[in-house]
PDB file of all heavy atoms in Angstrom:
ATOM      1  N   THR A  86      53.386 -44.577-112.670  1.00  0.00           N
ATOM      2  CA  THR A  86      52.792 -44.850-111.365  1.00  0.00           C
ATOM      3  C   THR A  86      52.979 -46.310-110.997  1.00  0.00           C
ATOM      4  O   THR A  86      53.014 -47.191-111.855  1.00  0.00           O
ATOM      5  CB  THR A  86      51.291 -44.522-111.335  1.00  0.00           C
ATOM      6  OG1 THR A  86      50.623 -45.328-112.316  1.00  0.00           O
ATOM      7  CG2 THR A  86      51.034 -43.059-111.583  1.00  0.00           C
ATOM      8  N   LEU A  87      53.095 -46.535-109.701  1.00  0.00           N
ATOM      9  CA  LEU A  87      53.092 -47.877-109.132  1.00  0.00           C
ATOM     10  C   LEU A  87      51.966 -47.899-108.112  1.00  0.00           C
ATOM     11  O   LEU A  87      51.948 -47.087-107.193  1.00  0.00           O
ATOM     12  CB  LEU A  87      54.429 -48.187-108.459  1.00  0.00           C
ATOM     13  CG  LEU A  87      54.551 -49.555-107.774  1.00  0.00           C
ATOM     14  CD1 LEU A  87      54.521 -50.671-108.821  1.00  0.00           C
ATOM     15  CD2 LEU A  87      55.842 -49.635-106.958  1.00  0.00           C
ATOM     16  N   LYS A  88      51.032 -48.829-108.289  1.00  0.00           N
ATOM     17  CA  LYS A  88      49.852 -48.876-107.439  1.00  0.00           C
ATOM     18  C   LYS A  88      49.818 -50.187-106.673  1.00  0.00           C
ATOM     19  O   LYS A  88      50.119 -51.252-107.227  1.00  0.00           O
ATOM     20  CB  LYS A  88      48.596 -48.721-108.290  1.00  0.00           C
ATOM     21  CG  LYS A  88      47.302 -48.620-107.495  1.00  0.00           C
ATOM     22  CD  LYS A  88      46.118 -48.357-108.418  1.00  0.00           C
ATOM     23  CE  LYS A  88      46.198 -47.002-109.070  1.00  0.00           C
ATOM     24  NZ  LYS A  88      44.985 -46.675-109.853  1.00  0.00           N
ATOM     25  N   ILE A  89      49.426 -50.096-105.429  1.00  0.00           N
ATOM     26  CA  ILE A  89      49.243 -51.277-104.585  1.00  0.00           C
ATOM     27  C   ILE A  89      47.807 -51.245-104.071  1.00  0.00           C
ATOM     28  O   ILE A  89      47.391 -50.296-103.426  1.00  0.00           O
ATOM     29  CB  ILE A  89      50.218 -51.296-103.391  1.00  0.00           C
ATOM     30  CG1 ILE A  89      51.663 -51.082-103.847  1.00  0.00           C
ATOM     31  CG2 ILE A  89      50.101 -52.640-102.646  1.00  0.00           C
ATOM     32  CD1 ILE A  89      52.659 -50.903-102.709  1.00  0.00           C
ATOM     33  N   GLN A  90      47.058 -52.285-104.385  1.00  0.00           N
ATOM     34  CA  GLN A  90      45.660 -52.330-103.992  1.00  0.00           C
ATOM     35  C   GLN A  90      45.199 -53.769-103.820  1.00  0.00           C
ATOM     36  O   GLN A  90      45.197 -54.531-104.799  1.00  0.00           O
ATOM     37  CB  GLN A  90      44.787 -51.637-105.036  1.00  0.00           C
ATOM     38  CG  GLN A  90      43.291 -51.874-104.927  1.00  0.00           C
ATOM     39  CD  GLN A  90      42.680 -51.352-103.624  1.00  0.00           C
ATOM     40  OE1 GLN A  90      43.284 -50.517-102.952  1.00  0.00           O
ATOM     41  NE2 GLN A  90      41.517 -51.863-103.278  1.00  0.00           N
ATOM     42  N   PRO A  91      44.851 -54.207-102.615  1.00  0.00           N
ATOM     43  CA  PRO A  91      44.959 -53.486-101.356  1.00  0.00           C
ATOM     44  C   PRO A  91      46.355 -53.612-100.754  1.00  0.00           C
ATOM     45  O   PRO A  91      47.048 -54.601-100.989  1.00  0.00           O
ATOM     46  CB  PRO A  91      43.938 -54.221-100.491  1.00  0.00           C
ATOM     47  CG  PRO A  91      43.981 -55.635-101.002  1.00  0.00           C
ATOM     48  CD  PRO A  91      44.237 -55.526-102.482  1.00  0.00           C
ATOM     49  N   SER A  92      46.738 -52.635 -99.971  1.00  0.00           N
ATOM     50  CA  SER A  92      48.065 -52.684 -99.352  1.00  0.00           C
ATOM     51  C   SER A  92      48.067 -53.585 -98.125  1.00  0.00           C
ATOM     52  O   SER A  92      47.033 -53.786 -97.475  1.00  0.00           O
ATOM     53  CB  SER A  92      48.518 -51.273 -98.978  1.00  0.00           C
ATOM     54  OG  SER A  92      47.595 -50.677 -98.091  1.00  0.00           O
ATOM     55  N   GLU A  93      49.242 -54.127 -97.828  1.00  0.00           N
ATOM     56  CA  GLU A  93      49.433 -54.997 -96.661  1.00  0.00           C
ATOM     57  C   GLU A  93      50.691 -54.538 -95.912  1.00  0.00           C
ATOM     58  O   GLU A  93      51.584 -53.937 -96.516  1.00  0.00           O
ATOM     59  CB  GLU A  93      49.587 -56.452 -97.095  1.00  0.00           C
ATOM     60  CG  GLU A  93      48.355 -57.017 -97.774  1.00  0.00           C
ATOM     61  CD  GLU A  93      48.503 -58.480 -98.155  1.00  0.00           C
ATOM     62  OE1 GLU A  93      49.564 -59.076 -97.836  1.00  0.00           O
ATOM     63  OE2 GLU A  93      47.562 -59.035 -98.761  1.00  0.00           O
ATOM     64  N   PRO A  94      50.784 -54.858 -94.626  1.00  0.00           N
ATOM     65  CA  PRO A  94      51.971 -54.427 -93.853  1.00  0.00           C
ATOM     66  C   PRO A  94      53.287 -54.887 -94.474  1.00  0.00           C
ATOM     67  O   PRO A  94      54.293 -54.180 -94.397  1.00  0.00           O
ATOM     68  CB  PRO A  94      51.723 -55.064 -92.480  1.00  0.00           C
ATOM     69  CG  PRO A  94      50.237 -55.104 -92.353  1.00  0.00           C
ATOM     70  CD  PRO A  94      49.735 -55.420 -93.746  1.00  0.00           C
ATOM     71  N   ARG A  95      53.292 -56.050 -95.116  1.00  0.00           N
ATOM     72  CA  ARG A  95      54.545 -56.541 -95.696  1.00  0.00           C
ATOM     73  C   ARG A  95      54.980 -55.755 -96.936  1.00  0.00           C
ATOM     74  O   ARG A  95      56.069 -55.987 -97.464  1.00  0.00           O
ATOM     75  CB  ARG A  95      54.421 -58.020 -96.065  1.00  0.00           C
ATOM     76  CG  ARG A  95      53.332 -58.341 -97.064  1.00  0.00           C
ATOM     77  CD  ARG A  95      53.084 -59.853 -97.079  1.00  0.00           C
ATOM     78  NE  ARG A  95      51.870 -60.193 -97.791  1.00  0.00           N
ATOM     79  CZ  ARG A  95      51.836 -60.956 -98.870  1.00  0.00           C
ATOM     80  NH1 ARG A  95      52.948 -61.439 -99.363  1.00  0.00           N
ATOM     81  NH2 ARG A  95      50.692 -61.250 -99.458  1.00  0.00           N
ATOM     82  N   ASP A  96      54.140 -54.845 -97.391  1.00  0.00           N
ATOM     83  CA  ASP A  96      54.523 -53.963 -98.494  1.00  0.00           C
ATOM     84  C   ASP A  96      55.346 -52.778 -98.016  1.00  0.00           C
ATOM     85  O   ASP A  96      55.854 -52.004 -98.844  1.00  0.00           O
ATOM     86  CB  ASP A  96      53.265 -53.443 -99.207  1.00  0.00           C
ATOM     87  CG  ASP A  96      52.398 -54.569 -99.755  1.00  0.00           C
ATOM     88  OD1 ASP A  96      52.942 -55.635-100.083  1.00  0.00           O
ATOM     89  OD2 ASP A  96      51.169 -54.369 -99.821  1.00  0.00           O
ATOM     90  N   SER A  97      55.477 -52.621 -96.728  1.00  0.00           N
ATOM     91  CA  SER A  97      56.263 -51.517 -96.180  1.00  0.00           C
ATOM     92  C   SER A  97      57.704 -51.621 -96.670  1.00  0.00           C
ATOM     93  O   SER A  97      58.353 -52.662 -96.507  1.00  0.00           O
ATOM     94  CB  SER A  97      56.218 -51.535 -94.651  1.00  0.00           C
ATOM     95  OG  SER A  97      54.891 -51.359 -94.185  1.00  0.00           O
ATOM     96  N   ALA A  98      58.192 -50.544 -97.264  1.00  0.00           N
ATOM     97  CA  ALA A  98      59.511 -50.559 -97.899  1.00  0.00           C
ATOM     98  C   ALA A  98      59.794 -49.156 -98.428  1.00  0.00           C
ATOM     99  O   ALA A  98      58.949 -48.262 -98.334  1.00  0.00           O
ATOM    100  CB  ALA A  98      59.548 -51.556 -99.054  1.00  0.00           C
ATOM    101  N   VAL A  99      60.983 -49.002 -99.000  1.00  0.00           N
ATOM    102  CA  VAL A  99      61.291 -47.799 -99.769  1.00  0.00           C
ATOM    103  C   VAL A  99      61.210 -48.189-101.240  1.00  0.00           C
ATOM    104  O   VAL A  99      61.835 -49.167-101.664  1.00  0.00           O
ATOM    105  CB  VAL A  99      62.679 -47.238 -99.443  1.00  0.00           C
ATOM    106  CG1 VAL A  99      62.926 -45.963-100.246  1.00  0.00           C
ATOM    107  CG2 VAL A  99      62.803 -46.961 -97.947  1.00  0.00           C
ATOM    108  N   TYR A 100      60.438 -47.433-101.998  1.00  0.00           N
ATOM    109  CA  TYR A 100      60.249 -47.702-103.421  1.00  0.00           C
ATOM    110  C   TYR A 100      60.998 -46.644-104.224  1.00  0.00           C
ATOM    111  O   TYR A 100      60.811 -45.444-104.034  1.00  0.00           O
ATOM    112  CB  TYR A 100      58.757 -47.683-103.769  1.00  0.00           C
ATOM    113  CG  TYR A 100      58.022 -48.857-103.169  1.00  0.00           C
ATOM    114  CD1 TYR A 100      57.608 -48.845-101.836  1.00  0.00           C
ATOM    115  CD2 TYR A 100      57.764 -50.003-103.921  1.00  0.00           C
ATOM    116  CE1 TYR A 100      56.955 -49.929-101.271  1.00  0.00           C
ATOM    117  CE2 TYR A 100      57.112 -51.091-103.371  1.00  0.00           C
ATOM    118  CZ  TYR A 100      56.707 -51.056-102.045  1.00  0.00           C
ATOM    119  OH  TYR A 100      56.074 -52.139-101.490  1.00  0.00           O
ATOM    120  N   PHE A 101      61.848 -47.123-105.126  1.00  0.00           N
ATOM    121  CA  PHE A 101      62.648 -46.232-105.958  1.00  0.00           C
ATOM    122  C   PHE A 101      62.226 -46.341-107.410  1.00  0.00           C
ATOM    123  O   PHE A 101      61.916 -47.420-107.919  1.00  0.00           O
ATOM    124  CB  PHE A 101      64.135 -46.585-105.866  1.00  0.00           C
ATOM    125  CG  PHE A 101      64.765 -46.302-104.547  1.00  0.00           C
ATOM    126  CD1 PHE A 101      65.034 -47.329-103.651  1.00  0.00           C
ATOM    127  CD2 PHE A 101      65.112 -45.007-104.192  1.00  0.00           C
ATOM    128  CE1 PHE A 101      65.624 -47.069-102.422  1.00  0.00           C
ATOM    129  CE2 PHE A 101      65.705 -44.736-102.969  1.00  0.00           C
ATOM    130  CZ  PHE A 101      65.955 -45.773-102.088  1.00  0.00           C
ATOM    131  N   CYS A 102      62.278 -45.221-108.067  1.00  0.00           N
ATOM    132  CA  CYS A 102      62.121 -45.140-109.506  1.00  0.00           C
ATOM    133  C   CYS A 102      63.482 -44.727-110.072  1.00  0.00           C
ATOM    134  O   CYS A 102      64.190 -43.917-109.459  1.00  0.00           O
ATOM    135  CB  CYS A 102      61.046 -44.101-109.812  1.00  0.00           C
ATOM    136  SG  CYS A 102      60.836 -43.690-111.522  1.00  0.00           S
ATOM    137  N   ALA A 103      63.845 -45.272-111.226  1.00  0.00           N
ATOM    138  CA  ALA A 103      65.126 -44.920-111.838  1.00  0.00           C
ATOM    139  C   ALA A 103      64.942 -44.807-113.345  1.00  0.00           C
ATOM    140  O   ALA A 103      64.192 -45.590-113.945  1.00  0.00           O
ATOM    141  CB  ALA A 103      66.187 -45.967-111.508  1.00  0.00           C
TER     142      ALA A 103
END
Side-chain angles (χ1 to χ4, degrees):
Chain A
T86 60
L87 178 67
K88 186 176 293 186
I89 309 172
Q90 167 63 19
S92 59
E93 296 182 3
R95 59 194 168 119
D96 301 331
S97 298
V99 182
Y100 291 81
F101 291 104
C102 173

